[in-house]
Amino acid sequence: MAEPSLGVRRKSRPSSERKRSRAPVQSSAANSPVAPKRPSSGGEGPPPAEPPCCNDSEEDMFGDYDSFCGNDSLLAQVDDIEHKYLQDKNMNVKAAREITVGNLQSGIHQKKQDNFSASEKPSVLKADEEAACQVHDRDLVDGSREPAESLLDDLPSSQLLYFEKMNELSSAFRMSPDSKGRSECVNSSSDKIRSPLSYCADAEHRNRPMDFSSDTKCVLLKTESLKDHLKSAMTGNAKAQTLQVSKTKQLKEAILSEEIFVARKAIESSSVDIGPFYGLPSKVKDLFRQLRGIETLYEWQHDCLMLESLQQRKNLIYSLPTSGGKTLVAEIMILQELLCRQKDVLMILPYVAIVQEKIRGLSSFGIELGFLVEEYAGSKGRFPPIKRRVKKSLYIATIEKGHALVNSLIETERISDLGLVVVDELHMLGEGSRGAILEITLAKILYTSKNTQIVGMSATLNNVGDLQKFLRAEYYTNNFRPVELKEYVKIRDTIYAVDSKTENGFTFSRLLNFKYSSYLEKADPDHIIALVTEVIPNYSCLIFCPTKKNCENVASMVCKYLKKEFRAHREKEKQDLVKNLKSIGNGSVCPVLKQTIPFGVAYHHSGLTNDERKSIEEAYSSGVLCLLACTATLAAGVNLPARRVILRAPYVANDFLKKNQYKQMIGRAGRAGIDDAGESILIVQEKDKHLVRDLVNSPLENCYSNLLLELTKGMQSLLLSLVGLKIAVTCDEVNNFMCGTLLGVQQQLLSKEKSLSELIKDGLENLIEKGLLKGRISEKGHNSECTLTITPLGKATYKGSIDLAYCNLLYRDLKKGLEGLILESNLHLLYLATPYDVTSSCSPDWMIYLRQFNQLSAAEQKVADIVGVPESFITKKASGQAIRKNVDSAVVNRLYLTFVLYNLVKETNIWNVSEKFNMSRGYVQNLLNSAASFASCLLHFCEELEEFWVYKALLTELTKQLTYCVKTELIPLMEVAGVLEARAKQLYNAGYKTLAHLANANPETLIKMIEHLSRRQAKQIVSSAKMLLSEKAEALQEEVEELLKVPTDIPGTH
């Protein structure tokens, strides 16, 4: 299988004549292709040794050449050759050319090595050598050249293209009648020799075109010797002003920009043979090597990127097992779109944590390659996004924010700026309200922008045909896994291998040989200790548990019976982790974690704060922790693989495990590059044996549209925004749009009682009743051309992404607030920003409720009365008295959660607040995140309604407070992706007080000054800060340019 083709193809020759052939992609034991080492230019012998490192800024312009007159200098060689030529007038012209080129190229090659020796890893040179092998050699050198001539191939393709253009410019001179004889030899030599020297020696000379067209220059070339040419060029270079930037860096930047130009042109022509690295400059390949340690792509990744359908810009769905390397393919496609096609890209990810992880990972690429990475998650994101004039943007968004972003682009008629949309975990289309929102987003893109390409990926897809019809996409799948996965189930003390070929689905594997005492047998009936001690502490292990409480119990139980030797493994680092968690909790640390971490064990679930979760994930990734007891959310979240994955039971909470969930969990087994194989062991009770047999051998669940199941967030929300965005404003247009949704594809399966047009009619009538739309829909559907319009409330609802179930209630609450908004503190405003959908899961502790109420000032107590929770009600509830007056429980619960948020904003300490309200700190953290997101939605809602002008300024500040919930001085640092409160405090105390401080920090200095900070984390923090600073600077620059732009419609100018 061929390596990716380069930017320019060679004119075809028989393979026997080629000095360099492209080596095929080969597979290793793990099916991973190994990049073959390319032969040296001579075709045999070991590759030349790497030149010693030197300082770029001090490198000698003339390399090893001592003087203009020295016997060993380049000019002396030229002089000798020229004299030799003049002595032998009958010498064959072709032979003279070969002698000249052969002698001079050895000098050029030495000089080029010196120029590149400044870099620690000459990876760009290597990549450029690969790039050169496809250039039109007929235009550059003679087909029957000597081995020494092939050194010209070592130049990057972009430089060779430059020389090719120079040849075209000089063709008129070379073909003229008076340019025969001696000048033919000299000119052909100077074409091939002088150009590379002037190109490599100095940035200015490199970009200066050489004009051979004028008669004067022809005369000069005839009379002036080659030595004089070289001497004057080198003298000019020596006198040129020395730049502060190193020549190596200049050369790399020039190569990068030219290769992007070449790749862009090639992609526009829809050629499959598109450039050094899948149509991208060779610098991208170097960045993957430096930042990710990726040397070569897997064979399937190469095949996928070279698909004809991708070259033709068709939509694509691709599916591979977890850990197969799906994301890398998506990232290469994203970079192609940003750099080569110069279009913006939207990447949709399922969770905030994954968005932030991806922001950190791609910011370095953005800085190096000149594009922006913008975060759209939680309360972050600008609608519509700033229209950039130069740099392109990669928007990384959650499902909800991605939908709002697409709406804003459609509204401002900028949806065509979006060249590519990448969706990770495409199977989420079938998961509740979030699936409905994802379907709506993709349907709108398909309908409004014919040039936007959609690429979806997933590890767990079954009914791909329906998804292909919906997305009008091609499908690629492969069973490749870099590490083999072995599936087992454990029943009592016997382990069986999963084998679909056998009759009952299992084959006997082995018996556990761990000696259990009767006491230990009672404490650990599932033999978890036996299973984990086979791998830890030298290897990592994950135990998936049904509930959060079960996670903590399993972690505690395992530590109770582990030998003391486990404590000695990386003891100092585990002590540091406990100290770090203590500082995160302002002196408090979870007693379970305090007990388990010394053994290298911890739990991981939503009950942890963001800071705690991040610290535990980092400790596990670095091997300080070797065992995590976790819930199913980890399987769909950040990438934390393990040597062995144990499923504590085939349940998630009280529900039996689904095949998709099972596949995601076991997919975490096996770490590429570390483990030879991964193992999954599902612990099964005798009663569940037949269910588990069905589970492991059944196909994946089908993916069905949720537009009907999630009415207010699905069907009705879609209909409202279609009219609001003027995508479809008549019944016929709406029907036409709906036929293109996943629901439209699956309507026969999902709606057997009513037709799709009847469902649409019902939905539109419901929106008219709610006062969100205006218009009439005739009962028989004859008046289908009647135009529908959106009301101000309807527009505010879809622009604020407000659930239609609460939009009227929200409007009434805000209207009521205007009558007497109490601003002595932010309690009243916090009540309005408390999400409606979290109240049902709240059960107030009435004594705490009363205590909190009594601590309020008189004005604040009045807030409770205004919203409808009188003091008498709380008092009676706390004392257990009967209550006659009917009070809305949703309002009571909402006010209780407002008290939690009020304490959080005042204290900014999750630990203290969670203890005060007897809630888990994870619940408090999630409440805070939900409130920040809802406050942002509320702000967009109020911006659309003039009557709520007063809320705009108030909500802007409140959103910021809820988003960061820290002291004001830490907010600039916490804007950086991945910097949470604990890390922000460390940075602030170390003197990094602003975004500029962080953006200009030295990662090595950060490591020394900040505890528990790895080199990788330090680099990511600096990259993310640079990206954010660049983004803000670009935004200001755009604003300045917009202000200074001269209007085209000035009266009297035409």
Side-chain angles (χ1 to χ4, degrees), residues 953-965:
L954 297 169
L955 285 168
T956 302
E957 192 54 39
L958 185 71
T959 302
K960 200 180 231 186
Q961 278 184 293
L962 290 169
T963 299
Y964 301 109
C965 198

Side-chain angles (χ1 to χ4, degrees), residues 428-566:
M428 288 198 76
L429 276 167
E431 295 185 14
S433 61
R434 305 193 78 213
I437 295 168
L438 182 56
E439 181 181 344
I440 291 168
T441 307
L442 295 175
K444 284 177 181 173
I445 294 166
L446 286 164
Y447 194 83
T448 58
S449 178
K450 304 302 177 192
N451 296 321
T452 302
Q453 187 179 20
I454 296 174
V455 174
M457 53 181 165
S458 174
T460 54
L461 287 177
N462 191 29
N463 57 331
V464 180
D466 287 355
L467 300 182
Q468 278 185 269
K469 278 184 196 170
F470 165 44
L471 294 176
R472 301 160 215 163
E474 301 288 314
Y475 179 55
Y476 177 87
T477 187
N478 196 302
N479 291 323
F480 172 78
R481 241 185 151 266
V483 177
E484 185 189 0
L485 173 61
K486 297 173 181 175
E487 290 179 54
Y488 300 98
V489 296
K490 188 191 82 70
I491 303 170
R492 297 197 188 94
D493 61 350
T494 309
I495 293 178
Y496 299 91
V498 174
D499 186 355
S500 56
K501 293 171 188 173
T502 60
E503 193 178 332
N504 65 358
F506 305 136
T507 55
F508 173 81
S509 177
R510 64 187 174 93
L511 289 169
L512 283 174
N513 60 350
F514 188 88
K515 291 180 181 177
Y516 270 80
S517 64
S518 57
Y519 178 71
L520 186 54
E521 188 76 46
K522 285 178 185 175
D524 180 24
D526 292 326
H527 309 106
I528 290 170
I529 292 167
L531 294 172
V532 299
T533 50
E534 288 177 347
V535 287
I536 66 169
N538 296 322
Y539 298 99
S540 56
C541 183
L542 293 174
I543 304 176
F544 284 104
C545 304
T547 65
K548 288 185 279 191
K549 190 64 185 168
N550 194 228
C551 290
E552 296 176 32
N553 292 342
V554 166
S556 295
M557 184 272 293
V558 168
C559 291
K560 204 177 284 183
Y561 299 104
L562 283 179
K563 293 177 182 176
K564 288 184 180 177
E565 293 88 86
F566 282 90

Side-chain angles (χ1 to χ4, degrees), residues 874-939:
I874 301 170
T875 309
K876 285 178 180 177
K877 271 287 190 182
S879 59
Q881 295 177 37
I883 295 170
R884 293 173 188 172
K885 191 178 179 183
N886 192 20
V887 177
D888 188 347
S889 61
V891 174
V892 173
N893 292 357
R894 194 174 178 214
L895 183 63
Y896 186 68
L897 293 175
T898 303
F899 286 168
V900 177
L901 291 170
Y902 183 57
N903 277 272
L904 264 177
V905 170
K906 279 201 302 185
E907 291 188 37
T908 72
N909 187 318
I910 288 174
W911 273 85
N912 293 351
V913 174
S914 62
E915 284 173 16
K916 194 180 285 185
F917 285 86
N918 197 23
M919 293 174 166
S920 80
R921 56 198 184 283
Y923 180 85
V924 174
Q925 175 84 72
N926 291 334
L927 172 64
L928 180 62
N929 295 343
S930 298
S933 189
F934 185 66
S936 171
C937 293
L938 195 58
L939 174 59

Side-chain angles (χ1 to χ4, degrees), residues 544-546 551 604 630-637 651-652 657 661 664-665:
F544 284 104
C545 304
C551 290
H604 183 289
C630 52
T631 52
T633 50
L634 184 137
Y651 291 91
V652 173
L657 203 60
Q661 293 170 324
Q664 281 199 319
M665 289 181 195

Side-chain angles (χ1 to χ4, degrees), residues 188-318:
S188 63
S189 302
S190 65
D191 270 351
K192 290 171 190 161
I193 299 159
R194 183 163 152 256
S195 298
L197 280 173
S198 60
Y199 190 92
C200 298
D202 185 72
E204 256 182 67
H205 288 69
R206 182 177 64 232
N207 294 319
R208 188 180 297 158
M210 297 167 65
D211 184 9
F212 291 91
S213 59
S214 73
D215 291 336
T216 334
K217 288 184 183 175
C218 292
V219 174
L220 281 171
L221 280 166
K222 286 179 185 178
T223 57
E224 211 172 22
S225 71
L226 178 60
K227 178 181 174 183
D228 291 334
H229 272 296
L230 290 169
K231 185 171 179 178
S232 64
M234 293 167 83
T235 307
N237 289 344
K239 288 177 180 176
Q241 187 179 353
T242 306
L243 298 175
Q244 294 300 311
V245 185
S246 75
K247 282 175 283 301
T248 303
K249 187 174 180 184
Q250 289 174 350
L251 187 57
K252 285 181 182 177
E253 285 174 357
I255 290 166
L256 172 63
S257 62
E258 286 176 21
E259 284 181 345
I260 287 175
F261 175 78
V262 171
R264 205 180 292 156
K265 287 291 179 192
I267 283 179
E268 282 169 10
S269 65
S270 298
S271 168
V272 177
D273 193 5
I274 55 176
F277 184 65
Y278 301 99
L280 291 163
S282 49
K283 184 172 183 179
V284 174
K285 189 175 183 180
D286 299 330
L287 286 171
F288 276 117
R289 186 187 297 121
Q290 291 161 21
L291 302 173
R292 304 278 180 82
I294 296 169
E295 293 284 344
T296 53
L297 269 63
Y298 296 129
E299 193 171 343
W300 83 262
Q301 291 171 326
H302 171 80
D303 291 348
C304 187
L305 286 165
M306 300 306 288
L307 286 172
E308 192 66 30
S309 55
L310 276 186
Q311 312 307 325
Q312 294 169 3
R313 291 192 58 72
K314 290 182 181 175
N315 295 343
L316 177 72
I317 298 168
Y318 64 102

Side-chain angles (χ1 to χ4, degrees), residues 23-159:
V25 178
Q26 297 171 353
S27 297
S28 67
N31 294 329
S32 171
V34 179
K37 290 187 179 178
R38 306 182 67 242
S40 63
S41 49
E44 53 187 53
E50 287 187 16
C53 288
C54 67
N55 192 332
D56 273 347
S57 58
E58 295 174 5
E59 67 184 344
D60 180 11
M61 185 172 290
F62 302 120
D64 290 337
Y65 312 133
D66 300 318
S67 70
F68 286 130
C69 306
N71 290 333
D72 294 330
S73 73
L74 172 65
L75 294 174
Q77 291 179 47
V78 173
D79 207 14
D80 289 344
I81 293 161
E82 203 169 279
H83 280 300
K84 190 174 178 182
Y85 168 78
L86 291 170
Q87 286 167 9
D88 187 3
K89 291 185 179 180
N90 297 322
M91 181 180 287
N92 182 278
V93 172
K94 182 181 172 190
R97 184 187 302 134
E98 287 177 354
I99 291 166
T100 307
V101 173
N103 279 281
L104 281 174
Q105 280 183 334
S106 60
I108 294 165
H109 188 62
Q110 178 63 44
K111 180 161 192 262
K112 191 165 75 170
Q113 280 188 328
D114 292 340
N115 280 342
F116 273 86
S117 64
S119 58
E120 290 177 13
K121 293 181 181 178
S123 51
V124 174
L125 178 59
K126 290 176 187 172
D128 288 342
E129 285 175 357
E130 288 178 20
C133 78
Q134 295 272 327
V135 179
H136 301 281
D137 36 324
R138 196 172 71 192
D139 294 342
L140 292 170
V141 287
D142 191 79
S144 58
R145 59 189 177 177
E146 291 296 318
E149 283 186 83
S150 67
L151 286 168
L152 282 174
D153 278 353
D154 287 342
L155 292 169
S157 60
S158 53
Q159 293 183 40

Side-chain angles (χ1 to χ4, degrees), residues 72 218 279 395 526 640 783 828 855 928 947:
D72 294 330
C218 292
Y395 309 114
D526 292 326
L640 294 176
N783 195 20
H828 199 168
Q855 287 173 6
L928 180 62
E947 60 197 296

